[in-house]
Amino acid sequence: WSIDRLVNDGAYADGNLVVMSTKANKAKAALDRLSALLPGPHAAATGRCLVGPQCTPLAPRVMALPHQVIQNELVYRLTGAALCERILQPFRKLGGKEANKLFRKIEKKIEKRAPRLPRSQWRKACPFNVWLDPHLFEAFCEWRSLVPPGAADALLRGMRNFAGMSAPEATRSWAIDRRGYAT
């Protein structure tokens, strides 16, 4: 295992670190440090929002964007966790009737592709791989386009579990402007 920065130009600081296998760390080499996998820190550092399939669970204490949280919770819902249902409930109502219908369709597709499993079986089953289905991800992107801009963000800010700091506050300790150096 190795501890690595998500944003190369940031310090080894809280929110900019992830534990990964040494093999994965070497494989990504000089790439933009998991920007496709963990867009939150990338967006905080660059101001650019990357939207892609959330094909891995969100890392703890790492800044996440609303679309990542929603994809994450849609998969975790398969464990039957009540918290996921409470988190997802307001998103089912965003964007009107068409968006609501599409959100339910996405939930059903996920259940069909990755049926409810106990967490002990998740490592073998890789339920987050459902997001690699282009039809499912396209449906999710279509749902996002039906949601009013900023609405998902506002909902997440209102939830204590996901209430976080703004990007400048969260990344201040990363010292990006000094390429991670303290002074």
Side-chain angles (χ1 to χ4, degrees):
W1 295 105
S2 74
I3 296 175
D4 195 37
R5 295 172 295 170
L6 297 170
V7 177
N8 279 346
D9 289 342
Y12 285 87
D14 192 23
N16 192 32
L17 298 175
V18 68
V19 176
M20 66 174 65
S21 72
T22 314
K23 187 176 180 178
N25 195 353
K26 286 178 184 171
K28 71 176 177 53
L31 298 176
D32 196 10
R33 302 286 175 160
L34 304 175
S35 62
L37 197 55
L38 298 169
H42 178 79
T46 65
R48 292 189 325 255
C49 176
L50 300 173
V51 178
Q54 188 63 36
C55 52
T56 183
L58 286 173
R61 301 182 56 86
V62 170
M63 187 183 313
L65 299 175
H67 66 271
Q68 291 179 277
V69 173
I70 297 164
Q71 288 180 70
N72 194 69
E73 296 306 307
L74 280 165
V75 174
Y76 272 123
R77 180 179 162 269
L78 298 174
T79 65
L83 177 61
C84 295
E85 284 301 320
R86 284 197 310 259
I87 291 168
L88 291 172
Q89 191 58 41
F91 293 102
R92 290 184 181 110
K93 299 173 185 170
L94 282 181
K97 201 176 214 178
E98 188 180 344
N100 183 294
K101 189 175 174 181
L102 188 55
F103 196 87
R104 299 269 183 199
K105 183 179 172 183
I106 291 167
E107 287 181 301
K108 286 180 180 166
K109 275 187 172 185
I110 291 171
E111 280 189 21
K112 188 177 179 182
R113 294 259 344 257
R116 293 181 186 267
L117 295 169
R119 292 270 314 256
S120 60
Q121 295 178 14
W122 274 38
R123 180 170 264 170
K124 287 182 187 174
C126 299
F128 282 88
N129 284 350
V130 297
W131 291 113
L132 297 176
D133 174 344
H135 300 295
L136 178 62
F137 188 67
E138 285 171 18
F140 180 77
C141 290
E142 183 182 343
W143 173 80
R144 276 187 75 236
S145 72
L146 296 172
V147 172
D153 224 355
L155 273 177
L156 287 173
R157 274 195 307 274
M159 296 178 189
R160 250 187 278 167
N161 289 356
F162 297 104
M165 298 177 273
S166 67
E169 290 171 315
T171 61
R172 189 172 295 126
S173 66
W174 299 5
I176 292 169
D177 57 331
R178 297 182 307 271
R179 296 193 43 88
Y181 291 99
T183 56

